[in-house]
Amino acid sequence: MQISSRREYLLLSILFILIILLGIFTQIPGQSWSDDFALYVIHANNIAQGIPYSHTSYIYNPDAYTYSPASYPPGFPVLLAPFVAVWGIDLQVLQIVVLGSFIVALLYMYLWLRLRINPVAAILCVAFIGFSTGIWVLRDYIIADFPALAVLLATVYYFEKQ
Protein backbone atom coordinates (compact mmCIF):
# COMPACT_ATOMS: atom_id res chain seq x y z
CA MET A 1 0.00 0.00 0.00
CA GLN A 2 1.52 3.29 -1.10
CA ILE A 3 0.49 6.69 0.16
CA SER A 4 1.26 10.08 -1.29
CA SER A 5 4.31 11.80 0.14
CA ARG A 6 2.10 14.64 1.38
CA ARG A 7 -0.05 12.28 3.45
CA GLU A 8 3.02 10.38 4.55
CA TYR A 9 4.63 13.52 6.00
CA LEU A 10 1.33 14.60 7.56
CA LEU A 11 0.94 11.22 9.29
CA LEU A 12 4.56 11.30 10.42
CA SER A 13 4.19 14.86 11.74
CA ILE A 14 1.04 13.94 13.67
CA LEU A 15 2.78 10.88 15.09
CA PHE A 16 5.80 12.88 16.27
CA ILE A 17 3.61 15.64 17.73
CA LEU A 18 1.61 13.03 19.67
CA ILE A 19 4.75 11.38 21.01
CA ILE A 20 6.21 14.76 22.03
CA LEU A 21 3.01 15.98 23.70
CA LEU A 22 2.41 12.72 25.52
CA GLY A 23 6.06 12.63 26.54
CA ILE A 24 5.96 16.13 27.99
CA PHE A 25 2.56 15.87 29.68
CA THR A 26 3.19 12.44 31.20
CA GLN A 27 6.71 13.24 32.34
CA ILE A 28 7.48 12.02 35.84
CA PRO A 29 9.37 14.72 37.74
CA GLY A 30 12.66 13.87 39.37
CA GLN A 31 14.99 10.98 38.76
CA SER A 32 15.21 7.55 40.27
CA TRP A 33 18.48 7.03 42.06
CA SER A 34 21.41 5.91 39.99
CA ASP A 35 25.01 6.95 39.66
CA ASP A 36 25.12 7.43 35.90
CA PHE A 37 22.78 10.39 35.65
CA ALA A 38 24.51 12.20 38.51
CA LEU A 39 27.92 12.08 36.84
CA TYR A 40 26.41 13.09 33.47
CA VAL A 41 24.79 16.12 35.08
CA ILE A 42 27.90 17.07 37.06
CA HIS A 43 30.05 16.75 33.92
CA ALA A 44 27.54 18.90 31.98
CA ASN A 45 27.60 21.49 34.77
CA ASN A 46 31.41 21.49 34.73
CA ILE A 47 31.40 22.12 30.98
CA ALA A 48 28.79 24.90 31.33
CA GLN A 49 30.63 26.57 34.23
CA GLY A 50 34.14 26.17 32.81
CA ILE A 51 35.21 23.90 35.66
CA PRO A 52 37.73 21.14 34.78
CA TYR A 53 35.75 18.22 33.40
CA SER A 54 36.84 15.54 35.86
CA HIS A 55 36.37 17.61 39.06
CA THR A 56 33.15 15.92 40.13
CA SER A 57 33.85 15.19 43.83
CA TYR A 58 33.17 11.55 43.04
CA ILE A 59 35.58 9.37 44.98
CA TYR A 60 36.59 6.64 42.57
CA ASN A 61 37.26 3.25 44.11
CA PRO A 62 39.67 1.23 41.95
CA ASP A 63 38.64 -1.91 43.85
CA ALA A 64 35.04 -1.44 42.66
CA TYR A 65 35.84 -0.38 39.10
CA THR A 66 32.71 -2.05 37.70
CA TYR A 67 30.47 0.25 39.76
CA SER A 68 31.26 3.47 37.90
CA PRO A 69 34.15 5.00 36.02
CA ALA A 70 35.96 7.99 37.47
CA SER A 71 34.45 10.07 34.67
CA TYR A 72 32.32 9.39 31.60
CA PRO A 73 33.13 10.22 27.99
CA PRO A 74 32.04 13.78 27.20
CA GLY A 75 29.51 13.10 24.40
CA PHE A 76 26.28 13.13 26.40
CA PRO A 77 27.43 15.81 28.89
CA VAL A 78 28.32 18.07 25.92
CA LEU A 79 24.73 17.65 24.69
CA LEU A 80 23.38 18.54 28.15
CA ALA A 81 25.78 21.43 28.84
CA PRO A 82 23.93 24.19 26.89
CA PHE A 83 20.70 23.34 28.70
CA VAL A 84 22.46 23.31 32.07
CA ALA A 85 24.04 26.67 31.20
CA VAL A 86 20.63 28.22 30.46
CA TRP A 87 18.31 26.51 32.98
CA GLY A 88 20.74 25.27 35.60
CA ILE A 89 20.47 21.72 36.90
CA ASP A 90 16.77 21.25 36.16
CA LEU A 91 16.08 17.53 35.79
CA GLN A 92 12.82 18.07 33.90
CA VAL A 93 14.60 20.13 31.24
CA LEU A 94 17.24 17.41 30.92
CA GLN A 95 14.48 14.78 30.60
CA ILE A 96 13.05 16.81 27.70
CA VAL A 97 16.51 16.74 26.07
CA VAL A 98 16.41 12.94 26.34
CA LEU A 99 12.89 12.94 24.86
CA GLY A 100 14.16 15.14 22.01
CA SER A 101 16.97 12.67 21.38
CA PHE A 102 14.38 9.89 21.25
CA ILE A 103 12.39 11.84 18.64
CA VAL A 104 15.53 12.34 16.54
CA ALA A 105 16.25 8.60 16.83
CA LEU A 106 12.70 7.83 15.68
CA LEU A 107 13.09 10.19 12.73
CA TYR A 108 16.27 8.46 11.59
CA MET A 109 14.63 5.09 12.19
CA TYR A 110 11.81 6.15 9.88
CA LEU A 111 14.22 7.43 7.22
CA TRP A 112 16.22 4.21 7.36
CA LEU A 113 13.12 1.99 7.26
CA ARG A 114 11.72 4.07 4.39
CA LEU A 115 14.69 2.94 2.30
CA ARG A 116 13.78 -0.71 2.92
CA ILE A 117 9.98 -0.98 3.30
CA ASN A 118 6.86 0.89 2.22
CA PRO A 119 5.88 4.13 3.99
CA VAL A 120 2.88 2.69 5.86
CA ALA A 121 4.97 -0.09 7.37
CA ALA A 122 7.74 2.39 8.25
CA ILE A 123 5.27 4.70 10.02
CA LEU A 124 3.70 1.77 11.87
CA CYS A 125 7.13 0.56 13.03
CA VAL A 126 8.00 4.03 14.30
CA ALA A 127 4.61 4.29 16.05
CA PHE A 128 5.10 0.87 17.63
CA ILE A 129 8.52 1.83 18.99
CA GLY A 130 7.44 5.38 19.87
CA PHE A 131 4.53 4.20 22.03
CA SER A 132 6.19 1.06 23.40
CA THR A 133 5.79 0.91 27.17
CA GLY A 134 9.32 -0.38 27.72
CA ILE A 135 10.73 2.61 25.86
CA TRP A 136 8.17 4.98 27.38
CA VAL A 137 9.49 4.31 30.88
CA LEU A 138 13.10 5.00 29.85
CA ARG A 139 12.44 8.45 28.41
CA ASP A 140 11.94 9.77 31.96
CA TYR A 141 15.55 8.99 32.83
CA ILE A 142 18.59 11.11 32.09
CA ILE A 143 20.45 8.45 30.13
CA ALA A 144 22.80 8.50 27.17
CA ASP A 145 21.03 5.63 25.41
CA PHE A 146 18.67 7.71 23.26
CA PRO A 147 21.31 10.19 22.03
CA ALA A 148 23.54 7.21 21.23
CA LEU A 149 20.66 5.53 19.38
CA ALA A 150 20.06 8.72 17.40
CA VAL A 151 23.72 8.87 16.34
CA LEU A 152 23.73 5.16 15.49
CA LEU A 153 20.58 5.38 13.35
CA ALA A 154 21.79 8.57 11.64
CA THR A 155 25.03 6.77 10.74
CA VAL A 156 23.21 3.67 9.46
CA TYR A 157 20.86 5.84 7.40
CA TYR A 158 23.75 7.86 5.98
CA PHE A 159 25.69 4.78 4.86
CA GLU A 160 22.64 2.92 3.54
CA LYS A 161 21.51 5.96 1.57
CA GLN A 162 24.80 5.98 -0.35
Side-chain angles (χ1 to χ4, degrees):
M1 178 172 142
Q2 288 290 85
I3 56 176
S4 70
S5 62
R6 199 172 201 181
R7 281 193 178 151
E8 178 182 349
Y9 296 126
L10 178 64
L11 282 172
L12 198 61
S13 298
I14 291 170
L15 175 65
F16 284 145
I17 288 169
L18 279 173
I19 293 171
I20 291 168
L21 289 176
L22 284 172
I24 289 172
F25 290 118
T26 62
Q27 184 180 37
I28 298 170
Q31 172 77 22
S32 73
W33 183 253
S34 79
D35 56 333
D36 291 348
F37 97 93
L39 270 180
Y40 289 141
V41 171
I42 292 170
H43 283 314
N45 188 53
N46 288 356
I47 292 168
Q49 301 292 327
I51 299 169
Y53 184 76
S54 61
H55 288 140
T56 61
S57 298
Y58 173 66
I59 300 171
Y60 176 70
N61 183 355
D63 293 332
Y65 61 90
T66 58
Y67 180 70
S68 178
S71 66
Y72 281 103
F76 186 49
V78 165
L79 175 67
L80 298 177
F83 299 95
V84 170
V86 173
W87 285 283
I89 299 177
D90 185 340
L91 299 182
Q92 285 187 290
V93 169
L94 300 180
Q95 287 173 338
I96 291 172
V97 173
V98 171
L99 176 64
S101 300
F102 179 55
I103 296 299
V104 170
L106 288 177
L107 175 63
Y108 278 109
M109 179 184 294
Y110 168 76
L111 292 171
W112 174 66
L113 288 171
R114 186 68 176 83
L115 296 173
R116 303 176 148 268
I117 58 179
N118 73 52
V120 174
I123 290 172
L124 287 174
C125 286
V126 168
F128 180 76
I129 298 295
F131 292 114
S132 169
T133 56
I135 299 293
W136 206 246
V137 171
L138 291 176
R139 56 105 182 120
D140 278 330
Y141 296 100
I142 300 167
I143 55 176
D145 300 45
F146 290 134
L149 180 63
V151 170
L152 173 71
L153 289 171
T155 305
V156 168
Y157 170 69
Y158 174 78
F159 283 109
E160 289 235 352
K161 189 178 174 189
Q162 299 295 331

